[in-house]
Amino acid sequence: MNQSSAFYRQLFEVCTKLMETIQSIPQPVIAQVHGIATAAGCQLVATCDLAIAAEDARFATPGVKIGLFCSTPMVALSRAVGRKKAMEMLLTGDALSAEEAVQAGLINKAVPAKSLEEETKAMALKIASASAFTVGIGKQAFYQQIEMPQHLAYSYTKEVMSLNATAADAEEGICAFLENVSLIGKAVSNTGKAVSNTRSGRRPALAHRCALAGVFFPLVESILLGGRL
Amino acid sequence: MNQSSAFYRQLFEVCTKLMETIQSIPQPVIAQVHGIATAAGCQLVATCDLAIAAEDARFATPGVKIGLFCSTPMVALSRAVGRKKAMEMLLTGDALSAEEAVQAGLINKAVPAKSLEEETKAMALKIASASAFTVGIGKQAFYQQIEMPQHLAYSYTKEVMSLNATAADAEEGICAFLENVSLIGKAVSNTGKAVSNTRSGRRPALAHRCALAGVFFPLVESILLGGRL
Amino acid sequence: MNQSSAFYRQLFEVCTKLMETIQSIPQPVIAQVHGIATAAGCQLVATCDLAIAAEDARFATPGVKIGLFCSTPMVALSRAVGRKKAMEMLLTGDALSAEEAVQAGLINKAVPAKSLEEETKAMALKIASASAFTVGIGKQAFYQQIEMPQHLAYSYTKEVMSLNATAADAEEGICAFLENVSLIGKAVSNTGKAVSNTRSGRRPALAHRCALAGVFFPLVESILLGGRL
């Protein structure tokens, strides 16, 4: 090693860029976690909009054990879970089980390893069955408003929601809803639409509407740990 | 429909005004939740100081399903529960059970439907047995300090608490306490006082000291969804 | 009593100073909680970096019952647990059990009373086995970045982590790690080092690396409640 500080700054710069991009793109990103998510891998899970993990997955920020505190992962981690839990992970380096990660709010759910891909895809398809325009507006507003004092957050989201409501895409949905299509009926018809869309060639749209972060793991891990994990 | 954006801005303006008022009045507001709290109804639950729900109550921000992302409800929701849980509710539109809402921190407790009113009233009476002056100071300071950096929050609450301590109402309580009335004895005497106050005509004061938000539900729902739910 | 407001301002000033010092020193501070942690005692638990409690410990902010709302404790409490739970504790004055405190995120874990000291010391020793330089950098960065908007938090922690990475202490650890020493092997050798360090006289270093807050309790309680609890 004996890398210069310029090397490290560049490394953390690239890593941060990835994390910020995940939150700034309009498509929801779901972390599909198998195995062990450590350091920037754990940061990636904390950063993704949603996360589903295999029951035997584990989560850790173990940098402290090798003398390199997980300071950038801490930014995402401490915004996803409570302070005491974040501090415990950062100071001890100990791993959370998938079940503990659910309790802590780091991931949305833990599922049997063999149904991990299926469950993640099901959630992605459910989100993809909604209007991509609406989902994009909502996701981007989420990360903007959460950093604002509450009164400003309301001023901002009132505008976002008014524009959303007047947009054609929304009009259609709202009108259909108010023309007495029940929520349950709507859900069924949405599912039906998603399926028929799939048949008629819109399946690849999933990638545009809802990205899966699973593929990023090897990349991030290898950037930060030289591929030795 | 085909409403103008002015119509929607006015609608979300009124709704926001309600939410901000709930937090700015000195009386604690408890959401007593039966049935389904969706969209602005879910926002109302997230906004109230406290919330108790029937075990079969459900909570959702399903706007995404009809093309209208729950952007203003998101402000309250994302300040009440963790990011992953808030995102899951907002992006999928799926409902939480009352038990899940407790786990997520959206409500304080879930009780059998038949004891919902009784349990909510018991909590209201407990709070109403304390000094309305003290409760009002505390509630208002809560929402001020939570938006401040910690050091400023301490500067602010030090003043609030010093003034509270010197106020006559507090002096009485503190002195009684320090004159060796145990906490348990005090609690008993408080309860006794609340009961005797009730007998001597202070019962209506409950409305001034601790409002129940349950009655707001039909109103908010019908404002936002045209009464079709 | 009949103390002047100057007396109270001085009292809360000293108490706040203690809380801010706990977070600003580079050594992690673990609250070892037995019995009842109320008011500023509960604030102390919320303030410490980590907290372990006996299963029969309890946590409360009961000031409201004696007319003195726990306004300064609220600053720490509302940053450690969710809003609904914080409001419930503050408005009702009711105590949480140790198990509830774990669920709420107020403490890290609840253990049998007879192993409380041993478990707390084990966690302290684990942290003390890591580089004190690294731990100090990490802890201090934690409290700085958590008050920043996310983008600034990343700008800041990128610098912190780059400097940490170039420091000799880190180089050693990272290189050892990348020279194919497994995490498990490393953990074992760290433990071994801690033990041998202990033997060779570095045991007192624990106090410098990881302070136990247990001893503060009687002090804080007696400052605030006149030693009557």
Side-chain angles (χ1 to χ4, degrees), chain A residues 1-2 5 9 13 16 20 23 43 66-67 69 71-72 74-75 78-79 83-84 87-88 94 147 228, chain C residues 45-46 48 79 105-106 108 126 134 138 145 148-151 154 157-159 162 164 166 170 173 178:
Chain A
M1 297 288 283
N2 284 321
S5 76
R9 293 186 74 210
E13 178 72 32
T16 297
E20 293 187 329
Q23 294 187 342
Q43 177 183 11
I66 58 163
F69 204 87
S71 295
T72 54
M74 158 168 87
V75 173
S78 64
R79 281 158 180 76
R83 291 189 182 198
K84 283 284 188 297
M87 269 299 197
E88 184 178 342
D94 287 349
E147 307 236 29
R228 303 297 178 88
Chain C
V45 174
C48 286
R79 282 159 178 75
L106 180 57
N108 293 90
K126 172 178 285 185
T134 298
Q145 64 80 29
M148 299 178 187
Q150 182 174 280
H151 185 71
Y154 271 128
T157 54
K158 275 186 293 187
E159 299 303 319
S162 299
N164 184 178
T166 47
L178 293 178

Side-chain angles (χ1 to χ4, degrees), chain B residues 13-23 44 47 216 219-220 223:
Chain B
E13 178 72 32
V14 169
C15 181
T16 298
K17 184 99 181 169
L18 170 62
M19 303 299 163
E20 293 187 329
T21 301
I22 287 172
Q23 294 186 343
L44 184 57
T47 298
F216 290 143
L219 174 66
V220 179
I223 288 176

Side-chain angles (χ1 to χ4, degrees), chain B residues 81-162:
Chain B
V81 309
R83 290 188 183 201
K84 284 283 188 297
K85 185 55 72 181
M87 268 298 197
E88 183 178 344
M89 292 178 69
L90 291 161
L91 290 172
T92 66
D94 288 348
L96 296 190
S97 68
E99 187 48 39
E100 290 167 328
V102 170
Q103 292 297 319
L106 180 57
I107 64 173
N108 294 90
K109 58 178 171 178
V111 301
K114 68 180 194 308
S115 55
L116 174 61
E117 199 166 326
E118 180 190 350
E119 291 255 14
T120 311
K121 200 163 279 180
M123 185 179 268
L125 279 169
K126 173 177 284 184
I127 296 171
S129 75
S131 155
F133 170 77
T134 298
V135 166
I137 282 179
K139 171 178 169 176
Q140 293 191 317
F142 183 90
Y143 292 107
Q144 297 296 316
Q145 64 81 29
I146 204 156
E147 308 237 27
M148 300 178 186
Q150 182 174 280
H151 186 71
L152 294 184
Y154 270 127
S155 298
Y156 166 71
T157 54
K158 275 186 293 186
E159 299 303 318
V160 169
M161 203 165 172
S162 299

Side-chain angles (χ1 to χ4, degrees), chain C residues 161-173:
Chain C
M161 202 164 171
S162 299
L163 285 168
N164 184 178
T166 47
D169 204 11
E171 286 292 329
E172 179 195 356

Side-chain angles (χ1 to χ4, degrees), chain A residues 67 71 84 130 134-135 138 163 227:
Chain A
S71 295
K84 283 284 188 297
T134 298
V135 166
L163 285 168

Side-chain angles (χ1 to χ4, degrees), chain C residues 137-150:
Chain C
I137 282 179
K139 169 175 170 176
Q140 294 191 317
F142 183 90
Y143 292 107
Q144 297 296 316
Q145 64 80 29
I146 204 156
E147 308 239 28
M148 299 178 187
Q150 182 174 280

